[in-house]
Amino acid sequence: GNPANPANPGMGLGRGAAGLGAVLHGEFTTTVTGTPTVMVVQTGQVTAYTPGTSLSVKSSDGFAATYTVDGTVAVMPAGSQVATGSQVRVLAAKDGMTLTRLVVVG
């Protein structure tokens, strides 16, 4: 996936999120979809997970957030299992906190 390719929005962001090893949480604005979009990134432990509904994550500094999960979220690496206690890195659109990428990191 080429992050500059609007026909494939966000695919490069997943790889980019996977490379943000030291980032606990933050926001950034991207135009990868063609319009400015505020994205949220967070690394931490899953504290609650309801497949197809929501995912709650708590970072090591105590920051916690809950994300909306729908059927379009990409879980990487493919086939990874997500459960309470999993270490993950999430990427979500801030508007609605809708998860777009979920990277299982440990």
Side-chain angles (χ1 to χ4, degrees):
N2 179 347
N5 180 355
N8 195 9
M11 291 306 292
L13 289 177
R15 289 191 188 93
L20 296 173
V23 173
L24 294 180
H25 51 88
E27 297 179 5
F28 61 94
T29 303
T30 180
T31 57
V32 73
T33 60
T35 58
T37 303
V38 178
M39 303 297 290
V40 176
V41 62
Q42 181 182 4
T43 302
Q45 185 175 47
V46 175
T47 57
Y49 178 52
T50 304
T53 304
S54 66
L55 174 78
S56 296
V57 178
K58 186 174 184 180
S59 297
S60 61
D61 67 346
F63 176 83
T66 299
Y67 302 91
T68 300
V69 178
D70 64 25
T72 63
V73 65
V75 179
M76 296 181 279
S80 295
Q81 297 299 309
V82 179
T84 300
S86 296
Q87 288 293 319
V88 297
R89 184 164 302 111
V90 298
L91 183 67
K94 185 174 181 181
D95 183 17
M97 292 295 277
T98 303
L99 202 61
T100 58
R101 294 287 179 271
L102 175 58
V103 180
V104 178
V105 294

